[in-house]
Amino acid sequence: MSHFENKGLILGVMAGTAGISLFLVWYHKMRKPGAAVSTPALLAVDKGFNPVGLQNEAHSEQGGVLVLHRRQLQILEKLNGLLVSVDELKREVKFLKEAIPKLEELVRAELQGKGDVQRVSPSHRATRRRKAEAAPGAAETTSSEEAESEGGYITAHTDTEGESEEEKEWMKSPYVVVRLEEEKELFNLLQRVDSLHKGSEDDKKESFRLLLEKEDKYENCAGFLWRVARAYGDLFEMTTDAEEKKKYVTDGKIKAEKAIQLDARNAESHQWFAIMCGYMSQFESVQNKIRNGYLFKEHLDKAIELKPQDPFLYYLNGRWCYSVAQLSWIEKKVAAALFGAPPTSTVEEALQNFLKAEEMCPGYSKSNYVYLAKCYNDLGQKNNALKYCDSALSVLSVTNEVI
């Protein structure tokens, strides 16, 4: 029932009671002195009224009207209270309907590293409360995401007892229990594959196997899909067969593209789509190679916008700038014919990106040192080139670098 319908109902009741009042006044004036029917007798048919009290009050016409008006006000107050209760109930039902779909979105956002805490439903508050009770000392080391002002993790401990009961009832819902179990399974899976990705080649193959087992179940989760694309990238680096490489990069590009469609604000999705485009250029014609180069730059810039503190992204940007600076005359002509103007960059721009990666994380990468040496050598700065060659030689561990 809308606000306007409520007002219409109240006005209708007031109009009806006013009409009854006028009728009673007219009746008092027109009735004969010996009439057997009295106003209190008429009013006594309503069981909600007190006929004895009304008879004592209605000795005169004016007294009867005043009593009737008081009863009218009482009825209106009760009706108003009922309407308010109905509105509150409707709001509660609406809240529950909106909260259930948002539960999945909330957990997905947390798994993908989005920092904003959203108190969507009582189940979310209850989950945070259980975490706090399980780790009492965690409050001292919580991230800024969980400790922001007084609206997130901390205030979950200060909710009223009424909310606590509400949370208990919410958590008993079979739907919520199933969803929480699924979200916990996904969270554990993603943590596992992230750990394996940092390990040996066998670990990376195991990571790929685990992801393929759950691909049908989590095919609409961006955080899952960009990790599948990353796993294809690992296989691309490990294999030496050209056909296998091409298949891995093709499948990986499809997964990364779908991840972007599901969540355009996920930096890792853009990052791995850009990397797949870089890999793909090894198997394409000059025309498609240039097209993939434009896609690489577009999505890399988006990843940097979303995750500006990642040195790896500046290393990739330096690689793109250096590659463009080395384009041949024919490649530049093809790019101009297809896109109106070829991509432009310089060795100096590449150098600035490599230096930024080193500044953000000193000793970040052996390959970063190698490209710093290349840039300084191309610019004729031999001393700096030798300096970074020595730095590259001092890095003992060698890891595969993308593109």
Side-chain angles (χ1 to χ4, degrees):
M1 184 179 293
S2 68
H3 178 66
F4 294 104
E5 291 174 338
N6 293 344
K7 291 179 65 178
L9 178 59
I10 293 172
L11 291 174
V13 172
M14 292 179 65
T17 52
I20 293 172
S21 300
L22 292 174
F23 170 76
L24 290 174
V25 172
W26 173 82
Y27 178 77
H28 274 290
K29 290 182 177 180
M30 297 299 295
R31 70 174 181 170
K32 295 181 180 180
V37 182
S38 63
T39 300
L42 289 173
L43 296 176
V45 297
D46 187 349
K47 295 182 180 180
F49 295 161
N50 184 350
V52 177
L54 188 60
Q55 186 175 8
N56 293 333
E57 295 174 358
H59 294 298
S60 64
E61 297 176 2
Q62 183 178 4
V65 172
L66 291 175
V67 170
L68 189 58
H69 278 301
R70 280 199 295 270
R71 298 303 182 189
Q72 293 170 3
L73 291 175
Q74 291 175 1
I75 293 173
L76 291 176
E77 289 176 357
K78 291 179 179 179
L79 284 173
N80 185 58
L82 178 61
L83 293 175
V84 170
S85 298
V86 171
D87 284 340
E88 290 177 352
L89 180 60
K90 289 175 66 177
R91 284 195 296 270
E92 290 294 331
V93 172
K94 181 180 179 182
F95 168 77
L96 292 175
K97 288 181 178 179
E98 293 176 349
I100 290 175
K102 290 182 180 179
L103 183 61
E104 178 182 2
E105 178 183 342
L106 170 68
V107 176
R108 182 182 298 171
E110 289 179 348
L111 291 175
Q112 294 168 358
K114 294 184 177 180
D116 294 334
V117 176
Q118 304 177 29
R119 300 177 67 194
V120 176
S121 68
S123 67
H124 173 58
R125 296 196 299 270
T127 302
R128 287 293 178 87
R129 177 173 293 140
R130 291 200 308 277
K131 289 181 181 178
E133 291 171 352
E140 297 178 359
T141 58
T142 51
S143 66
S144 59
E145 172 188 340
E146 295 176 333
E148 63 169 4
S149 76
E150 296 182 355
Y153 182 87
I154 296 175
T155 54
H157 299 280
T158 59
D159 288 339
T160 64
E161 290 301 319
E163 287 179 331
S164 178
E165 291 300 322
E166 180 186 2
E167 291 164 6
K168 291 178 182 178
E169 291 300 322
W170 179 274
M171 296 305 295
K172 292 178 183 178
S173 168
Y175 175 83
V176 174
V177 171
V178 171
R179 292 312 302 268
L180 288 176
E181 289 177 353
E182 291 179 351
E183 289 151 6
K184 183 179 180 181
E185 178 188 3
L186 176 60
F187 178 78
N188 291 335
L189 172 64
L190 298 186
Q191 280 197 322
R192 174 70 173 155
V193 298
D194 285 346
S195 177
L196 291 170
H197 170 70
K198 300 173 184 177
S200 64
E201 289 191 356
D202 288 339
D203 290 334
K204 292 177 180 179
K205 290 177 181 178
E206 175 66 10
S207 170
F208 181 73
R209 184 189 68 79
L210 291 174
L211 289 167
L212 285 188
E213 284 183 355
K214 300 294 183 179
E215 186 174 8
D216 291 339
K217 187 172 184 179
Y218 299 116
E219 62 180 353
N220 292 318
C221 174
F224 177 86
L225 288 173
W226 71 254
R227 286 174 171 86
V228 176
R230 182 183 65 184
Y232 276 117
D234 290 337
L235 295 178
F236 176 91
E237 290 287 347
M238 289 187 286
T239 188
T240 57
D241 184 86
E243 288 301 319
E244 287 185 359
K245 279 181 174 288
K246 187 173 182 180
K247 180 181 184 304
Y248 290 146
V249 72
T250 301
D251 292 343
K253 185 178 179 182
I254 292 172
K255 299 300 181 185
E257 185 174 19
K258 185 176 180 180
I260 293 173
Q261 293 170 354
L262 290 170
D263 185 2
R265 299 292 298 173
N266 187 292
E268 284 78 8
S269 299
H270 289 282
Q271 170 185 319
W272 284 98
F273 182 79
I275 290 171
M276 291 299 117
C277 289
Y279 285 147
M280 185 69 77
S281 64
Q282 299 179 26
F283 308 99
E284 301 285 5
S285 63
V286 173
Q287 176 179 340
N288 289 331
K289 179 179 178 181
I290 293 173
R291 180 177 289 106
N292 279 317
Y294 277 101
L295 287 173
F296 177 93
K297 180 61 173 171
E298 175 188 349
H299 289 276
L300 181 61
D301 287 345
K302 187 64 176 179
I304 292 175
E305 175 189 334
L306 295 170
K307 194 172 56 170
Q309 300 306 317
D310 188 350
F312 180 56
L313 297 178
Y314 293 98
Y315 166 76
L316 292 178
N317 204 30
R319 292 287 301 268
W320 183 87
C321 292
Y322 191 82
S323 297
V324 169
Q326 306 299 319
L327 283 177
S328 65
W329 176 84
I330 186 63
E331 289 172 329
K332 290 179 180 179
K333 287 295 184 181
V334 171
L338 292 175
F339 304 101
T344 58
S345 190
T346 63
V347 174
E348 288 84 355
E349 291 177 345
L351 176 63
Q352 293 306 312
N353 280 280
F354 294 129
L355 287 173
K356 188 171 181 65
E358 174 66 14
E359 176 187 352
M360 295 175 70
C361 184
Y364 165 71
S365 165
K366 186 184 185 78
S367 289
N368 198 57
Y369 283 143
V370 170
Y371 274 92
L372 281 168
K374 284 185 175 183
C375 289
Y376 278 120
N377 183 64
D378 291 349
L379 295 172
Q381 300 182 30
K382 304 300 182 182
N383 290 336
N384 283 328
L386 290 173
K387 170 187 171 182
Y388 284 106
C389 281
D390 291 339
S391 297
L393 291 173
S394 68
V395 179
L396 299 179
S397 61
V398 180
T399 57
N400 288 330
E401 302 285 351
V402 295
I403 74 170

